[in-house]
């Protein structure tokens, strides 16, 4: 087998952890010549977007991704003149965005040998948008490269998928995750291992738990709400929904501050008015995306965190403590877990997961949250 990523500078994909198959496919594409379209797919939080921009840098850099030149730097920040990001406008990627992409892709590259289109949350393309995109994929301009990113590839048109080289990402293995937390953040082995268990293969969540006090506080909040839920009355459940909404608000504010910082930094690099306007445009798109992503990640965290609590209660009730995820809460789990409630715990987990789709399609987050909490409570009765 070809060595992982081969001659491509391994620092190029340095932010991607424990994904040897994906990095082999992308590394070989950079060395041996690339197809027109790639689909990076797999669960959220495992490094697909970072990999997409690193791959774009490899496609735009004259040295195939040296990691040091100005092409690489700008591509990885998403502001290269020959790189466009397409992301949902609201909840979908619309046909007008694809029409714009098609017109744009017909133009020659400005600085690099190619033009690269990173399409985030590609599964949110509306049907007309997906059909229009399919036409572009059927006869792509020779210099155009499309990098689709999706955590729900089953929702993409099969004809779009079949025209892309698939690049699979998986949940980051706990061992690789723990090793990464140890080497990058200097965590002690047992702490790194505990966090890897809590994060359940979600690299971004594991990293956030490591370096962000507020993310650790959010986890405590979600676990304490889940713990309180069985005995909470109607008004208290509504209060819980308020607390979660406040948490989502804090996450959005933190995401906005982070994007603004990066924008300020990129503005300092921008040489002229045209470069500055590109930075403005790229960061407008990114700001919208990051706000949505902050809410989505917060909701995912509430669903998986509260379902995870009842999962651990079920595990303790079934006498399998060694497989508990929230190991730092073992004493509380022993106190709360009742063997007679095993089937109710499983019902609660199912109820929490059923609400996932509701969040995707319902614009009223608070209403969906209340619905989730009440359905979980009902499952316990
Ligand atoms: Zn370079």
């Amino acid at each position: 087998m070809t060595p992982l990523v081969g001659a491509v500078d391994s620092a190029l994909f340095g932010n991607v952890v424990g994904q040897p198959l994906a990095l082999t496919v992308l590394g070989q594409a950079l060395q041996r010549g690339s197809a027109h379209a790639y689909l990076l797919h797999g669960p959220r939080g495992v490094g697909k977007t970072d990999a997409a921009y690193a791959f774009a840098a490899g496609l735009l850099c004259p040295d195939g991704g040296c990691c040091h030149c100005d092409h690489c730097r700008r591509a990885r920040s998403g502001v290269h003149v020959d790189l466009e990001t397409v992301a949902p406008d609201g909840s979908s990627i619309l046909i007008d965005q694809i029409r714009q992409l098609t017109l744009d892709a017909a133009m020659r590259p400005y600085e690099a040998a190619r033009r690269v289109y990173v399409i985030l949350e590609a599964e949110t393309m509306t049907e007309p948008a997906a059909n229009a995109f399919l036409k572009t994929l059927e006869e792509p301009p020779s210099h155009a490269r499309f990098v689709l990113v999706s955590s729900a590839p089953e929702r993409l048109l099969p004809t779009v998928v079949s025209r892309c080289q698939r690049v699979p990402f998986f949940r980051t293995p706990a061992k690789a995750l723990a090793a990464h937390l140890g080497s990058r953040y200097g965590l002690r082995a047992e702490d790194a291992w505990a966090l890897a268990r809590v994060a359940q293969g979600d690299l971004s969540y594991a990293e956030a738990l490591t370096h962000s006090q507020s993310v650790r506080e959010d986890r405590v909040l979600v676990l304490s709400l889940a713990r309180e839920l069985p005995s909470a009355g109607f008004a208290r459940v509504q209060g819980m929904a308020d607390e979660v909404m406040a948490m989502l608000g804090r996450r959005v504010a933190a995401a906005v501050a982070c994007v603004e910082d990066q924008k300020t930094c990129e503005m300092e690099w921008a040489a002229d008015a045209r470069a500055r306007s590109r930075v403005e445009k790229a960061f407008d798109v990114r700001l919208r995306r990051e706000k949505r992503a902050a809410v989505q990640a917060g909701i995912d965290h509430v669903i998986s965190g509260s379902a995870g609590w009842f999962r651990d209660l079920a595990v303790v009730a079934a006498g399998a403590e060694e497989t508990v995820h929230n190991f730092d809460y073992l004493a509380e789990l022993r106190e709360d877990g009742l063997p007679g409630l095993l089937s109710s715990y499983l019902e609660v987990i199912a109820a929490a997961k059923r609400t996932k789709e509701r969040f995707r399609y319902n614009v009223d987050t608070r209403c969906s949250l209340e619905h989730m909490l009440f359905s979980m409570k009902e499952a316990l009765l």
Side-chain angles (χ1 to χ4, degrees), residues 12 57-58 60-73:
L12 183 64
L60 294 170
C61 165
D63 296 322
C66 70
C67 221
H68 311 295
C69 73
D70 199 42
H71 288 282
C72 283
R73 188 191 60 75

Side-chain angles (χ1 to χ4, degrees), residues 77-147:
S77 305
V79 299
H80 193 287
V81 69
D82 286 314
L83 169 68
E84 293 292 338
T85 300
V86 179
D89 186 359
S91 57
S92 310
I93 295 176
L94 306 172
I95 186 160
D96 281 350
Q97 292 175 273
I98 299 298
R99 286 196 184 120
Q100 184 57 45
L101 175 153
T102 307
L103 286 176
D104 193 275
M107 293 195 288
R108 301 294 309 162
Y110 296 103
E111 292 179 12
R114 301 187 177 101
R115 282 187 66 69
V116 179
Y117 299 86
V118 172
I119 304 174
L120 299 171
E121 297 178 65
E123 76 282 358
T124 64
M125 276 189 216
T126 60
E127 205 180 318
N131 282 315
F133 183 60
L134 181 61
K135 289 206 182 75
T136 306
L137 270 186
E138 279 167 349
E139 285 179 48
S142 60
H143 56 262
R145 297 291 180 273
F146 303 99
V147 185

Side-chain angles (χ1 to χ4, degrees), residues 230 310 313-314 317-318 336-348 379-381:
F310 288 96
L313 282 179
D336 293 6
L338 299 171
L341 287 182
L342 184 57
S343 60
S344 298
Y345 296 146
L346 299 176
E347 275 297 311
V348 181
L380 274 170
L381 296 176

